[in-house]
């Protein structure tokens, strides 16, 4: 039976996983009695790139382009607009992206992706030849982020060859006013389906096949027809399990099982955004209302996908991890041999990070964004410097990789906000650093976008990608904008931040450590943050008590309460620590008489960070086993390690 609809995912969607949206829609259409074909242009491009190198190299090149803003759109621009003068601009943006590569890899990368090598045109030729497009009543394009130009280029070819076929666009690139702008700029696009399409797409297919009126289809935007608002799904448990069969059937030769992961979805919306919308977040343009799958359904779906496709790596597309899952889903997933990614909030307790690690969540995106409490409040993040430091410390201790970026350029910022963070960074080189330092972008649908008094400019790649349109039309299609948001001049602080980050990343890659063995009456600190070598310090008496009292951040009043009468004489159980310190030449912290003296010394030694009046210890609160073996404290370290429940 011929399928009435084909859904297309063009570059640059992630190359290492299926497209969840169209895979979920295919399964939903099957429930409604409609066959659906899927086409992956991404695999065709990776295959074309592999012809000049290897599959592994092609996949790396594809991923680098796909994660570099609108660069993926820009690569298709010269051919789409018939503007060969854009090629030099494409080369320039490729060179900028290649700066993240080692020097020896930059020139080969630029050669492989040279815009005159016609890889993009070749991909469009193969995608067009892959189907007889006249057989479909509807061809739908999923367009999010850098998928616009490739999708439009193929859509134009299809419309010329099959004028009676409805060309439909959906995805984040057509939300809000962008949908009408797409129809106004590209006459070969017939319709846009906005919002969550799980129920509206089967309804649209029914109407097209039976000749019923299309008006009233939720989220459908067409020329000359009144729009009906999209309707979010309320019962996520009622959705079908996504069908990934097309992705695996279309993979080019050379792929390995360990290169791929499966996307999965356990919630929509954002429970934090319902309460406090982060000012730069433009996600959930169709609505912030938070909905989550039941724990039973979430666990069953992961089990089903793992069984069907024999892939153990999973990527949650949720904006934020459902809070009840710590007590339900995560313990169950810990019984599977899986590797998972989740987006979370940054205010996770140490026990919650440990629970993530036990569940196989090896990477999270926690939205750390900054180390300045003042800027975090401006962002409406609901966290502080202290909470962010606690999270980074917990992630390092439990082996969870936090994916985060340091952002700058916010309303009301000052130069001192960033210079203060830059001064702190050398003390944090034993903790996971940000991937990069980036200016905040103004995303459509974000509170920043709705703010007044700013002049917004589409980002450079976007302006070049839509070079065939007027500036106004290009801006109407844009999701990411540049603007001078904050009053502080980035030229006065950004170089300092960049230098501090480079040092942080280099020392972290070199294995810098700051670890503490905390006994009853003494603390031994192992410190290799300085490249000159190991520094051992012994804390005793009140210094030990004050340091121990700020493990989870504490105000002066709380420190005083925890230290009252606790500067005890040496405990016999601490004798191995004292022996280890003496035998390895540890320096002994001075004896102090007051808490303030202790805090001043600990801060000067780089062992605590202040956040207003709150002090936070920086060392990991236990030794790694290699360090414990080196110091002869392996038995004591094993005793101090928590036992998994």
């Amino acid at each position: 039976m011929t399928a009435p609809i084909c859904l297309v995912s063009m570059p640059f969607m992630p190359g290492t996983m299926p497209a969840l949206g169209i895979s979920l829609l295919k399964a939903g259409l099957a429930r409604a009695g409609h066959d659906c074909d899927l086409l992956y242009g991404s695999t065709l491009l990776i295959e074309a790139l592999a012809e000049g190198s290897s599959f592994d190299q092609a996949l790396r090149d594809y991923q680098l382009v796909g994660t570099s803003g609108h660069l993926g759109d820009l690569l298709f621009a010269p051919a789409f607009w018939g503007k060969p003068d854009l090629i030099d601009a494409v080369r320039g943006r490729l060179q900028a992206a290649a700066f993240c590569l080692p020097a020896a890899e930059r020139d080969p990368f630029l050669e492989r992706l040279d815009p005159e090598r016609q890889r993009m045109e070749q991909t469009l030729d193969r995608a067009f030849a892959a189907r007889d497009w006249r057989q479909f009543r509807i061809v739908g394009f999923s367009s999010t982020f850098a998928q616009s130009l490739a999708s439009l280029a193929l859509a134009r070819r299809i419309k010329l060859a099959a004028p009676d076929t409805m060309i439909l666009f959906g995805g984040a690139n057509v939300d809000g006013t962008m949908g009408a702008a797409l129809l106004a700029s590209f006459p070969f696009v017939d319709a846009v389906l906005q919002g969550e399409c799980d129920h509206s797409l089967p309804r649209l297919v029914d109407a097209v096949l039976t000749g019923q009126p299309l008006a009233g289809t939720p989220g459908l935007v067409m020329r000359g027809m009144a729009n009906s608002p999209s309707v979010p799904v309320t019962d996520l448990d009622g959705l079908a399990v996504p069908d990934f069969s097309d992705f695996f059937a279309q993979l080019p030769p050379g792929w390995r099982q360990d290169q791929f992961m499966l996307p999965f979805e356990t919630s929509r919306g954002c429970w934090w955004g319902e309460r406090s919308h982060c000012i730069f977040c433009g996600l959930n343009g169709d609505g912030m209302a938070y909905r989550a799958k039941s724990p039973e359904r979430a666990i069953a779906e992961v089990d089903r996908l793992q069984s069907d496709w024999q892939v153990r790596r999973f990527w949650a597309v949720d904006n934020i991890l459902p809070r009840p899952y710590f007590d339900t889903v995560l313990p169950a997933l810990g019984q599977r041999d899986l590797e998972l990614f989740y987006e979370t909030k940054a205010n996770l307790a140490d026990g919650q990070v440990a629970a993530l690690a036990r569940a196989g969540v090896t990477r999270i995106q926690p939205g750390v964004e900054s180390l300045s409490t003042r800027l975090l409040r401006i962002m409406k993040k609901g966290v502080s410097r202290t909470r962010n430091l606690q999270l980074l410390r917990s992630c390092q201790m439990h082996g969870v990789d936090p994916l985060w970026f340091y952002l700058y350029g916010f309303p009301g910022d000052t130069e001192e906000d960033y210079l203060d963070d830059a001064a702190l960074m050398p003390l944090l080189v034993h903790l996971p650093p940000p991937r990069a330092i980036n200016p905040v972008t103004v995303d459509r649908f974000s509170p920043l976008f709705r703010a007044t008094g700013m002049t917004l400019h589409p980002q450079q790649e976007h302006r070049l990608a839509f070079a065939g349109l007027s500036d106004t039309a290009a801006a109407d299609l844009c999701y990411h904008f540049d603007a001078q948001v904050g009053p502080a001049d980035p030229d006065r602080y950004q170089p300092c931040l960049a230098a501090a980050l480079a040092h942080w990343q280099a020392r972290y890659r070199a294995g810098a450590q700051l670890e503490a063995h905390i006994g009853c009456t003494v603390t031994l600190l192992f410190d290799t943050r300085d490249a000159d070598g190991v520094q051992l310090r012994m804390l005793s008496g009140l210094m030990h008590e004050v340091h121990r009292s700020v493990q989870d951040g504490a105000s002066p009043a709380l420190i005083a309460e925890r230290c009252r009468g606790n500067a005890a004489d040496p405990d016999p159980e601490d004798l191995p620590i004292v022996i280890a310190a003496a035998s390895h030449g540890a320096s002994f912290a001075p004896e102090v008489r007051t808490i303030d003296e202790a805090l001043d010394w600990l801060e000067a030694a780089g062992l605590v960070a202040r956040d207003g009046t709150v002090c936070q210890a920086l060392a990991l609160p236990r030794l790694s086993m290699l360090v414990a073996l080196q110091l002869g404290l392996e038995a004591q370290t094993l005793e101090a390690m928590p036992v998994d429940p």
Side-chain angles (χ1 to χ4, degrees):
M1 174 180 173
T2 300
I5 182 170
C6 180
L7 299 179
V8 182
S9 181
M10 292 296 283
F12 277 81
M13 63 154 283
T16 57
M17 66 177 78
L20 179 61
I22 61 173
S23 301
L24 185 57
L25 290 173
K26 173 171 180 165
L29 285 165
R31 273 188 176 181
H34 300 301
D35 288 337
C36 175
D37 190 11
L38 302 186
L39 177 67
Y40 281 91
S42 54
T43 59
L44 295 175
L45 177 52
I46 294 170
E47 187 174 18
L49 294 173
E51 291 173 0
S53 55
S54 66
F55 178 78
D56 286 2
Q57 186 63 65
L59 187 58
R60 287 194 294 271
D61 290 344
Y62 178 95
Q63 291 291 91
L64 177 57
V65 172
T67 55
S68 299
H70 288 283
L71 180 56
D73 272 337
L74 186 53
L75 283 170
F76 283 90
F80 181 77
W81 296 111
K83 286 179 171 285
D85 56 312
L86 286 173
I87 287 177
D88 286 340
V90 176
R91 286 198 181 104
R93 303 313 296 168
L94 280 169
Q95 288 171 344
F99 273 119
C100 67
L101 296 173
E105 297 182 23
R106 291 175 192 168
D107 288 344
F109 167 79
L110 296 172
E111 172 65 20
R112 290 190 300 271
L113 269 293
D114 189 291
E116 289 190 317
R117 293 177 70 90
Q118 300 299 313
R119 300 295 188 195
M120 309 306 136
E121 196 70 37
Q122 182 182 5
T123 299
L124 291 172
D125 291 342
R126 292 181 179 184
F128 181 73
R131 300 289 186 272
D132 176 5
W133 299 103
R134 293 169 297 181
Q135 68 177 299
F136 301 112
R137 300 291 299 276
I138 302 173
V139 176
F141 288 86
S142 175
S143 180
T144 298
F145 300 134
Q147 290 182 289
S148 293
L149 260 291
S151 299
L152 288 167
L154 181 59
R156 184 170 61 186
R157 291 190 182 196
I158 293 171
K159 194 64 176 178
L160 287 171
D164 294 331
T165 297
M166 174 187 281
I167 301 297
L168 177 70
F169 269 64
N173 286 340
V174 299
D175 278 346
T177 56
M178 294 185 291
L182 188 82
L183 292 175
S185 296
F186 302 104
F188 53 85
V189 178
D190 297 304
V192 163
L193 196 58
Q194 296 181 323
E196 298 175 12
C197 303
D198 307 85
H199 300 321
S200 57
L201 183 60
R203 179 171 169 174
L204 176 63
V205 174
D206 282 337
V208 169
L209 293 180
T210 59
Q212 297 299 311
L214 305 183
T217 302
L220 185 65
V221 182
M222 296 183 71
R223 300 177 187 88
M225 187 185 81
N227 302 337
S228 227
S230 60
V231 179
V233 176
T234 56
D235 177 21
L236 298 190
D237 279 8
L239 296 176
V241 175
D243 182 350
F244 296 137
S245 57
D246 299 87
F247 175 78
F248 289 99
Q250 295 174 39
L251 280 175
W255 75 280
R256 302 191 311 274
Q257 197 87 359
D258 64 341
Q259 291 173 311
F260 293 93
M261 58 185 71
L262 293 183
F264 72 110
E265 176 187 57
T266 55
S267 66
R268 293 181 183 178
C270 180
W271 55 259
W272 175 251
E274 284 183 309
R275 173 182 172 185
S276 178
H277 192 173
C278 299
I279 66 169
F280 55 82
C281 177
L283 301 176
N284 304 301
D286 194 46
M288 192 70 71
Y290 191 66
R291 300 138 288 158
K293 291 178 179 176
S294 67
E296 295 77 16
R297 167 59 194 268
I299 295 165
E301 186 165 326
V302 171
D303 284 344
R304 164 81 177 276
L305 293 174
Q306 200 280 329
S307 174
D308 284 352
W309 307 111
Q310 299 300 303
V311 173
R312 58 178 296 272
R313 300 171 65 214
F314 285 80
W315 186 283
V317 301
D318 304 37
N319 293 161
I320 194 166
L321 172 69
R323 286 173 290 183
Y325 281 18
F326 281 101
D327 298 321
T328 54
V329 174
L330 293 182
L333 294 181
Q335 301 172 22
R336 283 82 169 155
D337 180 26
L338 301 177
E339 184 179 326
L340 303 139
F341 165 88
Y342 251 111
E343 290 196 39
T344 71
K345 202 167 181 299
N347 64 343
L348 298 176
D350 183 73
Q352 291 176 312
V353 177
L356 289 168
R358 289 193 297 269
V361 180
T362 58
R363 177 179 289 189
I364 60 174
Q365 187 167 338
V368 172
E369 327 294 16
S370 179
L371 301 172
S372 164
T373 295
R374 203 181 78 84
L375 292 179
L376 290 164
R377 286 173 180 162
I378 290 174
M379 297 181 213
K380 298 186 177 180
K381 295 296 296 183
V383 291
S384 63
R385 166 184 282 185
T386 297
R387 292 305 298 266
N388 280 349
L389 292 178
Q390 290 170 355
L391 174 75
L392 295 178
R393 198 173 71 150
S394 294
C395 286
Q396 180 66 17
M397 191 161 52
H398 298 294
V400 175
D401 178 20
L403 174 63
W404 70 286
F405 298 85
Y406 187 99
L407 302 181
Y408 65 86
F410 288 95
D413 64 359
T414 68
E415 184 179 336
E416 289 71 25
D417 292 323
Y418 304 108
L419 295 180
D420 185 46
D421 279 358
L424 177 65
M425 289 179 181
L427 305 181
L428 309 180
V429 295
H430 61 298
L431 302 178
R435 298 302 198 269
I437 290 177
N438 297 328
V440 67
T441 60
V442 180
D443 288 353
R444 193 181 292 271
F445 310 120
S446 71
L448 272 180
F449 181 79
R450 297 191 296 269
T452 59
M454 290 187 298
T455 301
L456 301 179
H457 304 282
Q459 290 188 331
Q460 183 178 6
E461 285 94 344
H462 183 92
R463 295 197 303 270
L464 292 169
F466 288 95
L469 299 178
S470 69
D471 291 344
T472 300
D476 288 342
L477 288 166
C478 187
Y479 180 81
H480 298 297
F481 296 85
D482 290 326
Q484 178 62 45
V485 179
D489 181 1
D491 290 341
R492 295 178 61 86
Y493 62 77
Q494 198 275 345
C496 186
L497 278 173
L501 173 62
H503 173 73
W504 187 351
Q505 292 174 330
R507 291 299 301 137
Y508 185 76
R509 287 194 299 267
Q513 296 166 283
L514 178 60
E515 301 173 358
H517 187 91
I518 304 173
C520 298
T521 57
V522 295
T523 296
L524 183 61
L525 290 146
F526 181 91
D527 187 355
T528 65
R529 290 176 296 175
D530 192 314
D532 290 340
V534 177
Q535 184 172 14
L536 285 177
R537 291 190 181 95
M538 173 72 96
L539 311 181
S540 61
L542 183 59
M543 191 76 79
H544 155 78
E545 291 297 331
V546 170
H547 181 264
R548 186 168 66 173
S549 73
V550 296
Q551 291 302 304
D552 56 353
S555 64
L558 183 56
I559 296 170
E561 180 181 334
R562 290 173 173 176
C563 293
R564 189 175 300 153
N566 290 337
D569 293 331
D571 189 299
E573 291 187 9
D574 290 337
L575 183 59
I577 306 174
V578 175
I579 293 173
S583 61
H584 289 86
S587 61
F588 284 73
E591 293 294 330
V592 292
R593 293 176 296 176
T594 68
I595 290 173
D596 285 343
E597 289 179 7
L599 288 173
D600 288 344
W601 187 90
L602 290 168
E603 183 180 24
L607 299 176
V608 301
R610 290 187 192 259
D611 181 13
T613 61
V614 175
C615 292
Q616 170 66 48
L618 298 179
L620 305 189
R622 65 171 181 264
L623 301 180
S624 59
M625 189 50 63
L626 285 176
V627 172
L629 288 167
Q630 181 180 336
L631 298 177
L633 293 173
E634 60 271 23
Q636 290 76 15
T637 299
L638 282 171
E639 289 177 5
M641 286 185 175
V643 178
D644 285 345

